[in-house]
Amino acid sequence: MSFSNKIILEAKSVSKYFGTITALENVNLTIKEGECLGVVGDNGAGKSTFMKVLSGLYKPRKGALYFNGNEEVLESQRDSQNLGLEMGYQDLALAGDLPIGENVFLGRE
């Protein structure tokens, strides 16, 4: 299987702080078209924080995000969704009375 060299998502030197706590420091990520990857690490390593930056929930303090070569400033999760990026949160209590598929599309019916 061959992959494209087209970069679809790139994070450059992304940093995020919560007061005096450093959650992310100069994180870089490049994803090319056709790639599938997982983000793994110890508890407290910043995985969820980084995903929340990519999904528009958090704004990075430093760094830049690029989608299909264009720098993007995500003002909200809707901005991220409009670019085709989605986030599946680790929250089991979102809408317990709805099936999984309806939870995934909640807010976009």
Side-chain angles (χ1 to χ4, degrees):
M1 176 185 289
S2 65
F3 293 100
S4 167
N5 284 326
K6 180 182 177 190
I7 296 172
I8 58 170
L9 184 145
E10 190 169 18
K12 292 184 179 180
S13 300
V14 172
S15 297
K16 176 68 180 168
Y17 310 100
F18 296 100
T20 60
I21 305 296
T22 300
L24 302 172
E25 186 71 38
N26 293 320
V27 175
N28 296 295
L29 174 72
T30 300
I31 299 176
K32 295 180 180 177
E33 187 175 57
E35 284 186 317
C36 179
L37 60 96
V39 177
V40 297
D42 291 333
N43 288 338
K47 302 175 302 290
S48 294
T49 300
F50 185 57
M51 294 300 114
K52 289 175 182 176
V53 167
L54 292 180
S55 70
L57 183 63
Y58 294 161
K59 290 183 184 180
R61 177 72 192 272
K62 297 178 186 173
L65 301 174
Y66 298 86
F67 295 89
N68 293 317
N70 300 312
E71 185 173 0
E72 298 286 345
V73 176
L74 304 177
E75 298 293 336
S76 70
Q77 292 171 289
R78 183 69 67 194
D79 289 346
S80 180
Q81 290 169 343
N82 289 339
L83 293 169
L85 226 71
E86 292 287 341
M87 172 77 171
Y89 292 94
Q90 298 174 349
D91 188 347
L92 300 176
L94 184 58
D97 59 325
L98 296 177
I100 293 169
E102 290 182 31
N103 267 277
V104 170
F105 291 101
L106 198 59
R108 292 179 301 281
E109 295 84 0

